């Protein structure tokens, strides 16, 4: 279930580009091995290569979840988390915060709450991930992803999530 959740908002770009936070990317948002010079040199890949990279990146995200999450997940929750980790990364101590590991070295609050069985509390942590590299993410993509993830964890968040998405969409359309 994570594939459409991830592919649709990412979109396919066969030429290397800088994402909204300035990170060199290609394909469906893959950053693995993509450099600034690849963007400058307009490196291109085939759709088949984009698919291969996407599958590898999804498998890495799923593996990170399999190693870190200690509670049972529904297929929908698992798919939503794969999409989330695909986008924010698992994290690396001393380098970058992510779902599994914060830059400081400890687990994210979202992961701690999830592993404690507090799915609603874990879902409430999504708001802490609205920036990447200090830059706000595209609010439309964020709203869709947040809703999908929140719905996966607790259907009681549907109304709140939809209301927030509509407000963010209205704010985004003003710019």
């Amino acid at each position: 279930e994570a594939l459409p959740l991830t592919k649709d908002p990412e979109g396919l770009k066969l030429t290397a580009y800088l994402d909204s936070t300035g990170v060199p990317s290609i394909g469906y948002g893959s950053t693995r091995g993509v450099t600034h010079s690849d963007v400058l040199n307009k490196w291109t890949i085939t759709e088949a290569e984009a698919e291969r990279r996407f599958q590898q990146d999804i498998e890495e995200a799923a593996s990170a979840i399999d190693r870190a999450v200690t509670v049972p997940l529904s297929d929908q929750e698992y798919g939503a988390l794969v999409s989330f980790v695909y986008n924010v990364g698992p994290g690396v101590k001393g380098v970058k915060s992510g779902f599994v590991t914060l830059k400081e070295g400890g687990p994210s609050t979202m992961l701690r709450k999830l592993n404690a069985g507090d799915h609603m509390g874990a879902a409430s942590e999504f708001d802490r991930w609205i920036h990447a590299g200090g830059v706000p993410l595209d609010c439309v993509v964020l709203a869709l992803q947040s809703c999908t993830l929140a719905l996966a964890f607790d259907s009681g968040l549907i109304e709140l999530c939809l209301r927030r998405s509509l407000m963010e969409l209205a704010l985004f359309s003003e710019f």
Side-chain angles (χ1 to χ4, degrees), residues 3-171:
L3 300 181
L5 296 179
T6 306
K7 274 186 171 180
D8 291 344
E10 289 290 340
L12 174 61
K13 295 180 183 169
L14 298 177
T15 302
Y17 64 97
L18 295 179
D19 72 7
S20 62
T21 64
V23 175
S25 306
I26 199 161
Y28 291 102
S30 179
T31 60
R32 189 175 19 87
V34 185
T35 66
H36 280 69
S37 59
D38 292 331
V39 175
L40 291 173
N41 294 324
K42 299 184 191 264
W43 175 43
T44 60
I45 59 174
T46 65
E47 192 168 340
E49 173 65 11
E51 286 293 329
R52 187 183 67 71
R53 292 175 71 88
F54 179 73
Q55 288 299 325
Q56 287 177 324
D57 293 345
I58 285 290
E59 287 170 14
E60 288 175 16
S63 179
I65 292 164
D66 293 342
R67 288 188 309 269
V69 176
T70 60
V71 295
L73 298 172
S74 69
D75 288 344
Q76 186 180 9
E77 290 169 331
Y78 187 78
L81 281 174
V82 168
S83 179
F84 183 68
V85 172
Y86 177 88
N87 283 288
V88 303
V92 178
K93 180 180 178 180
V95 178
K96 176 186 181 280
S97 289
F99 171 72
V100 177
T101 306
L102 297 175
K103 188 174 182 178
E104 297 77 31
S108 71
T109 302
M110 184 187 296
L111 177 60
R112 283 187 287 125
K113 287 182 177 183
L114 180 61
N115 282 340
D118 181 6
H119 288 219
M120 186 119 170
S124 73
E125 291 295 311
F126 290 121
D127 284 345
R128 294 178 177 254
W129 298 92
I130 64 170
H131 292 83
V135 177
L137 296 173
D138 178 319
C139 67
V140 176
V141 173
L142 174 65
L144 291 173
Q145 185 178 28
S146 295
C147 280
T148 302
L149 295 166
L151 290 172
F153 285 108
D154 189 291
S155 59
L157 296 177
I158 293 171
E159 185 179 342
L160 170 67
C161 189
L162 289 175
R163 195 174 324 128
R164 191 172 104 218
S165 295
L166 290 172
M167 288 188 314
E168 288 174 347
L169 185 56
L171 288 172

